Amino acid sequence: DAAISCIQHPETGRELKFGSHPITNNPKRVAVIGGGPGGMKAAMVAAARGHAVTLYEREPRLGGQARLAQLLPGRTEFGSIITNFEREMELAGVEVRAGVSIDPNSLNGLDAQVVIIATGAGPRPFNMEIGDDAHVVEATSILSGNPNIGTNVVIADRRGDWIGLGIAELLATQGHFVRFMTSCHMPGQALQSYLRDQWLGKLDALGVTTQAYRRLFGVDGDSAYFAHTASDEPVIYDGVDTVVICDHYLQDDSFDNVGRNGQIIHRIGDCLSPRTAEEAVYEGMKVGASI
């Protein structure tokens, strides 16, 4: 039997354990650090149980990676998780402080008995040979407004999910010539097969060429250097203006050694291990319910 649940409401399918969030007999002051989907879910559940919850987000807007995901073609539904959670936090009585950065040194100054760390993850540093005249960008920087993408683009994907394929579609629809290279067995390997096939058909119609078993190891002025992941044979692509790197994220470990002055610390989501919004929201719900 297949399990059924919901990204925004992981209580679905788990009603025997999380069907309700009863009011606590021991209300606490709770601080949530990070306003992505996981942090927002933790805040709303803890507040619904009667705790005094303040959520801190360093950016002026909430949403984390979901705010970028909604900018990709066909992914506008990701924006609903932000607007829905903002409203649910408002109804639950969560105090939101956006544009406020909390670091490990300022954590002890918070008037909180319980702290939930939900600071997420970010792009890895580029670990390859890059020539001074090469133009290499990280995939999500394109969604943040990077204006300098050249005409001929090579995407080097290691994730096998929707980010690389979405960036390829976005750039192709903007008129760029796109070659999509992935180190996976196939483009979109981590996606459900129907979604993957639909997306690859769309990319083919847009003129995007795709290749699997390609691992990027270097870039110079107008060439991208790959190796076949099975044979290790070199594969060179010339006439490249921009290389877009779509790599796995690295968790934010800056809060790993905090927890003084009697504060109870919980970590959820990508700062534990980069995964999807579904895991982050589920962990946020569990922690909020456990306090």
Side-chain angles (χ1 to χ4, degrees), residues 9 31 64 72 81 90 114 133 136 264 273:
H9 194 76
L72 288 171
I81 197 172
E90 180 183 1
V114 179
D133 53 351
V136 180
I264 300 171
S273 177

Side-chain angles (χ1 to χ4, degrees), residues 191-211:
L191 298 177
Q192 195 273 344
S193 60
Y194 296 136
L195 174 61
R196 178 177 64 241
D197 292 347
Q198 181 186 35
W199 221 329
L200 292 178
K202 186 181 298 184
L203 292 182
D204 185 70
L206 289 169
V208 177
T209 59
T210 62
Q211 291 285 337

Side-chain angles (χ1 to χ4, degrees), residues 10-22:
E11 292 90 341
T12 302
R14 302 178 175 96
E15 288 84 358
L16 291 179
K17 188 171 184 180
F18 299 108
S20 64
H21 299 300

Side-chain angles (χ1 to χ4, degrees), residues 34-46:
M40 288 193 284
K41 185 69 177 183
M44 72 178 71
V45 172

Side-chain angles (χ1 to χ4, degrees), residues 174-237:
Q174 292 175 348
H176 300 273
F177 173 67
V178 180
R179 288 172 280 185
F180 182 91
M181 307 296 145
T182 182
S183 60
C184 301
H185 296 156
M186 66 181 71
Q189 178 176 303
L191 298 177
Q192 195 273 344
S193 60
Y194 296 136
L195 174 61
R196 178 177 64 241
D197 292 347
Q198 181 186 35
W199 221 329
L200 292 178
K202 186 181 298 184
L203 292 182
D204 185 70
L206 289 169
V208 177
T209 59
T210 62
Q211 291 285 337
Y213 296 96
R214 299 288 190 264
R215 182 184 72 251
L216 181 69
F217 67 85
V219 185
D220 64 16
D222 62 356
S223 298
Y225 300 90
F226 289 78
H228 193 288
T229 58
S231 67
D232 217 31
E233 289 295 316
V235 183
I236 303 173
Y237 296 94

Side-chain angles (χ1 to χ4, degrees), residues 66-241:
R67 188 160 45 85
L68 296 177
Q70 67 178 329
L71 301 177
L72 288 171
R75 307 296 286 182
T76 54
E77 78 276 5
F78 260 96
S80 68
I81 197 172
I82 304 171
T83 55
N84 290 349
F85 280 6
E86 285 178 326
R87 178 58 174 159
E88 290 188 46
M89 287 196 298
E90 180 183 1
L91 294 174
V94 176
E95 179 184 358
V96 175
R97 298 187 183 180
V100 177
S101 181
I102 302 295
D103 60 29
N105 293 325
S106 60
L107 192 64
N108 291 324
L110 297 181
D111 182 24
Q113 298 161 286
V114 179
V115 178
I116 301 172
I117 307 296
T119 50
R124 293 175 179 269
F126 298 150
N127 184 24
M128 65 191 70
E129 296 183 20
I130 300 177
D132 293 337
D133 53 351
H135 186 219
V136 180
V137 299
E138 195 276 326
T140 57
S141 71
I142 296 172
L143 302 177
S144 302
N146 189 317
N148 300 315
I149 306 303
T151 301
N152 295 284
V153 178
V154 167
I155 296 176
D157 170 66
R158 292 186 61 189
R159 297 175 62 101
D161 63 5
W162 53 270
I163 295 180
L165 296 182
I167 293 292
E169 182 183 352
L170 177 66
L171 294 178
T173 56
Q174 292 175 348
H176 300 273
F177 173 67
V178 180
R179 288 172 280 185
F180 182 91
M181 307 296 145
T182 182
S183 60
C184 301
H185 296 156
M186 66 181 71
Q189 178 176 303
L191 298 177
Q192 195 273 344
S193 60
Y194 296 136
L195 174 61
R196 178 177 64 241
D197 292 347
Q198 181 186 35
W199 221 329
L200 292 178
K202 186 181 298 184
L203 292 182
D204 185 70
L206 289 169
V208 177
T209 59
T210 62
Q211 291 285 337
Y213 296 96
R214 299 288 190 264
R215 182 184 72 251
L216 181 69
F217 67 85
V219 185
D220 64 16
D222 62 356
S223 298
Y225 300 90
F226 289 78
H228 193 288
T229 58
S231 67
D232 217 31
E233 289 295 316
V235 183
I236 303 173
Y237 296 94
D238 295 318
V240 179
D241 298 319

